[in-house]
Amino acid sequence: MSFEEIKRVLFDAAKKAGLADYDVYYRMSTELSADALNHEPNASSFGTAGGVSFRCAVDGKIGAASTEMIERAELEALVPRAMANAALVDADEEPIFYQPQSGDAYRKVTVDKPALPTAGELRRVANELQDHIYAASELVADGTETAAGATEVTVCLANAKGLSLSHSAAMRYAYAEAVINDGNEPSYGTAVTRELDKDIPEVAQKAVSEALARLGGTPVKTGKYKVVLSAKQVRALFSAFSGIFSGKKAMLGLSLLKGKENTEIASPALTIYDDPFYPGNTMQIPFDAEGVPTYKKALVENGVLKTLLYDLTTAKKTGNTSTGNAGRGSYADPVSIRSYCHAIAPGSATLEGLFAEMGEGLYITELKGLHAGCDAVTGDFSIESAGFAVKNGKLADPVKAFTVAGNFFELLKSIEAVGSEVETGICGFSMTAAPAMLVKDISVAGES
């Protein structure tokens, strides 16, 4: 059944029930993957999943019901179920459905949707990665894992106010984790690409080189250090604290950025955008889960907090305007606030330039157990780490088994420089993009 047919069935049922405000949200995902382990093919999978959700306003409350069974009788049953659910709602959430505006501009995505590969193509890529990794070093050991996959997502949304939108996006990826063992202690390295037809030898070599470089790490002395966080770890750390930019969390007192808009919260070296159309992101989307047009916005500009992220309900409660950041994790999930791409604007320094500016300190390439070691409300963190010493402005020996601790909000103010080379990572419609950065006065617990 097409979305137009789904919409017609649900709209007819809603009108018969006397409803005036309602919407229909449809989401379908196709995922393919293949992986290999220890130089052997391991497993592959293919699946399509999704469904439809119906929301409606009843007596000033919003009710919802969803199903993955796309059949007429099941769809028609969603309407009375959603109405019954509205009566059970206790939350003070005024139902708001987006009214299309005459000036709405739904921007066109800037990338072509990649075609879904075949299962054979994915198996070939996963196996080729294994071949390149094992050929790169005789120290490659069991545990070496590679994978290739792809995802295609179709989202459709319509409401009683005349809104009718649809969009389809897809992504492809290849992943390698090389395990190296020199007989003393194993180490690992990882690398990812969103290209399946090229970069395979480079991805394999990057994973192996990272693992080899980590061999023989030694502890560091307890103290305060200047630190360069690798681009990958900047992405990971900022992802762990991404919820601080939620307008709803701020409204509920769960973000210390409440009331801080248009004030300085970070070093002037830091600029962060939320960009649904980040170049190279094949999962771009022109509208949010409520139908509001999406757009690029500065969250932090030269250290000043410019805006938090809002959906329609939170925006109205706080006297703001929706930033087009309503999201749904699946067709059955309620609306929540999400970012599209937390993109930290690059600076002018190369990685080597950051080391030279730091002089003496640590280059952190691994943060373990981030979400367990971070308190997103207070900003406090304590994280087991590994990386390299930096001496006389040059990368030196690997170091390990130390803990970095501090407060994320204080770290934002302690950024001294931002690198020029950006790395990206993606999960569904959410993405992160960041360069390495130099931070001063980080507390390190190691050897006494």
Side-chain angles (χ1 to χ4, degrees), residues 2-14 21-27 51-56 63 65-67 70 75 78-79 97 155-161 163-166 287-291 328 331:
S2 70
F3 179 68
E4 285 301 314
E5 293 172 309
I6 293 170
K7 182 175 75 171
R8 190 179 309 116
V9 170
L10 284 166
F11 275 36
D12 286 347
D21 281 332
Y22 48 86
D23 68 13
V24 178
Y25 181 82
Y26 169 91
R27 183 179 178 123
V52 62
S53 172
F54 177 81
R55 299 190 310 160
C56 61
S66 60
T67 183
I70 311 299
L75 292 173
L78 289 182
V79 175
F97 295 89
V155 174
C156 303
L157 174 66
N159 70 21
K161 296 181 180 297
L163 190 75
S164 187
L165 302 165
S166 63
F287 56 89
D288 74 358
E290 294 177 318
R328 299 194 198 190
Y331 72 93

Side-chain angles (χ1 to χ4, degrees), residues 265-281:
I265 65 159
S267 159
L270 183 66
T271 293
I272 307 174
Y273 294 101
D274 179 58
D275 187 1
F277 303 96
Y278 190 82
N281 178 13

